[in-house]
Amino acid sequence: MNILYFRFANSFLEPVWNRNNIASVQVTLAENFGVGERGKFYEDTGCLRDVVQNHLFQIVALLAMEPPAYRGYGAIHNEKAKVFQAMRPLQADDLVRGQYAGYRNEAHVDKHSEVETFCALRLFIDSWRWEGVPWYLRSGKMLPETAAEVLVQLKPPPQKLFDDSTPASGRANYFRFRLSPHTAVALAARVKLAGKEFVGEQRELFLCDEQSEIESPYERLLGDAMAGDGALFSREDSIEAAWAVVDPVLKFHKPVLPYKPGSWGPREADALIAPDGNWFNPE
């Protein structure tokens, strides 16, 4: 809900929130623990079904949707459904599947398991607003941090007026949304350093709310269900459209790749995003 509010409660975002100004979008949901006692569940599900198709796709929909016609969960569902329907079905080259070393020794896990505990994928939304903008999603277990974060990478200025206005290394301007374990919004902008030379550096304007949630996520869902508030729930047409996006790679995908616990997944995930830079690792 923080993304929904920030997007549509602030007018300065709309002029830049499109393919003309945004170079790419990253969504990361990382966990620094393994499957624990959920080995049997993970053997039947895997990371793509468990996290990407539902949790990460819901975040993408909130970031990519058009403004709802009115304040109400029906209007939000309408716009989210359009996003799922515009998603291009995934192909094998769009997906990297990983499995942390030691997963096959977990309880209730097949000793020859090919189930993924890590996924990184490249997604496109074929809509007027987002045509040609790559969305990079990743999630996994036994990663260095437990966090959920979004990075919206902006394009550099169209003219290189200053020598360092387009850094040779590092990122151009971006928006960053931290969703958990605490919430935060950040904007990275270049500012001039003291002196006569037109030389600057990039700094983050960072707004953070470290207050703990009054309710856990599942308490919130149960409370909303009893109150008849469907804003956090999915509609049938959205669910079907989201499954249609991942269905091709559920049937035809490349072998699972090993990765070391405490790393950010297989190296192939870095190669996937390389045409548009590199992953932003939550800290």
Side-chain angles (χ1 to χ4, degrees), residues 159-182:
Q159 181 182 8
K160 192 175 180 181
L161 188 60
F162 306 108
D163 289 340
D164 66 344
S165 60
T166 305
S169 61
R171 301 184 182 278
N173 306 140
Y174 60 79
F175 290 99
R176 182 166 65 90
F177 302 94
R178 171 62 74 97
L179 307 179
S180 68
H182 54 264

Side-chain angles (χ1 to χ4, degrees), residues 2 51 57-58 63 77 103 113 129-130 156-157 180 187 200 206 219 239 247 249-250 275:
N2 291 335
V51 180
F57 274 21
Q58 292 297 319
L63 291 163
H77 286 171
Y103 169 74
S113 176
R129 183 184 293 267
W130 297 110
S180 68
L187 167 63
F206 186 78
E219 288 175 334
I239 296 172
D247 187 60
V249 292
L250 292 176

